[in-house]
Amino acid sequence: EAGVVQSPRYKIIEKKQPVAFWCNPISGHNTLYWYLQNLGQGPELLIRYENEEAVDDSQLPKDRFSAERLKGVDSTLKIQPAELGDSAVYLCASSFSGTEDNEQFFGPGTRLTVL
Amino acid sequence: KQEVTQIPAALSVPEGENLVLNCSFTDSAIYNLQWFRQDPGKGLTSLLLIQSSQREQTSGRLNASLDKSSGRSTLYIAASQPGDSATYLCAVQGGSEKLVFGKGMKLTVNP
């Protein structure tokens, strides 16, 4: 069974440029998460989707970040315009909320460098 | 606000030692606790998940325990190997379903 797929794995852009990250969750998982991981820190939640609905986006900086999950499967996270402080790893995770333990599975992440 | 702490931030040990990694959290109202492993430049690999009603979980050389009332979990690694070298992260899940992570502990097992 394929795990969570993310692309690209690495992205280098100049500040003020736009960037987008893509995530394909594990088949059948209805919940999708985007986390941000700064160097030396644990991941922090940006947004959580239940199917197509964003049910927790309280930590998403909405002035420059946006996300969508059309058809309740794949998701895209966008930053426009990117700032130097956005350099980090962006992790996507998925889970099936119908299980008792609701275990989250993570993708390999996209490492963003903003110059 | 839930806070998760992992101390120490780094540990270096010789091969073969039995290890105990510690995790503490401030709010005992958790749904579950997960231990993850992260290799350099990689994503997170789930090692063990303990539901709030459970006391421990085991997988191979790994054993994780949970004491919800005291806000503590430990990850026990038996007979450590160089391949165990990685960063280990503890995360708790509350009612909001988001995971709150510690900063991780970087483990180096020397041959």
Side-chain angles (χ1 to χ4, degrees):
Chain A
E1 179 182 305
V4 177
V5 179
Q6 291 187 247
S7 69
R9 292 294 316 279
Y10 305 92
K11 189 73 176 180
I12 301 174
I13 61 173
E14 298 206 342
K15 63 180 181 181
K16 301 184 181 181
Q17 294 299 306
V19 65
F21 315 125
W22 175 81
C23 173
N24 178 246
I26 292 173
S27 178
H29 281 190
N30 59 329
T31 306
L32 184 146
Y33 313 77
W34 283 102
Y35 288 86
L36 166 69
Q37 186 177 24
N38 287 304
L39 188 64
Q41 304 293 316
E44 296 182 353
L45 182 72
L46 288 172
I47 188 168
R48 174 170 70 94
Y49 281 94
E50 291 282 349
N51 300 306
E52 306 87 11
E53 183 182 0
V55 295
D56 184 357
D57 63 356
S58 57
Q59 299 298 107
L60 190 72
K62 298 180 183 63
D63 57 336
R64 297 183 300 108
F65 286 65
S66 64
E68 61 182 11
R69 191 184 184 199
L70 301 177
K71 300 182 181 178
V73 181
D74 296 357
S75 177
T76 302
L77 178 68
K78 298 178 181 178
I79 308 174
Q80 182 170 10
E83 297 179 352
L84 295 176
D86 297 331
S87 295
V89 177
Y90 292 82
L91 294 162
C92 179
S94 70
S95 69
F96 180 55
S97 59
T99 61
E100 188 175 358
D101 55 27
N102 196 30
E103 186 173 4
Q104 295 185 27
F105 297 87
F106 283 75
T110 296
R111 182 176 297 275
L112 174 66
T113 301
V114 182
L115 303 176
Chain B
K1 179 185 174 183
Q2 178 74 270
E3 293 183 1
V4 179
T5 302
Q6 293 183 250
I7 296 174
L11 185 65
S12 181
V13 299
E15 181 176 6
E17 281 203 3
N18 298 322
L19 306 174
V20 176
L21 282 61
N22 295 304
C23 171
S24 62
F25 47 95
T26 55
D27 185 350
S28 62
I30 65 170
Y31 187 68
N32 62 44
L33 183 145
Q34 276 186 263
W35 281 95
F36 293 89
R37 167 184 174 140
Q38 187 171 34
D39 293 282
K42 307 284 188 179
L44 279 64
T45 300
S46 180
L47 297 173
L48 289 166
L49 180 147
I50 310 177
Q51 296 177 34
S52 61
S53 59
Q54 298 174 326
R55 298 284 294 184
E56 65 179 301
Q57 282 288 334
T58 298
S59 175
R61 294 183 294 110
L62 305 179
N63 175 277
S65 66
L66 173 64
D67 184 342
K68 206 171 68 162
S69 61
S70 67
R72 295 182 185 276
S73 175
T74 60
L75 178 66
Y76 178 81
I77 303 176
S80 58
Q81 303 170 357
D84 294 329
S85 297
T87 296
Y88 291 80
L89 294 113
C90 165
V92 297
Q93 183 177 117
S96 65
E97 296 194 29
K98 73 175 184 181
L99 287 173
V100 178
F101 285 83
K103 292 183 178 181
M105 194 211 76
K106 184 178 182 180
L107 172 66
T108 303
V109 181
N110 300 300

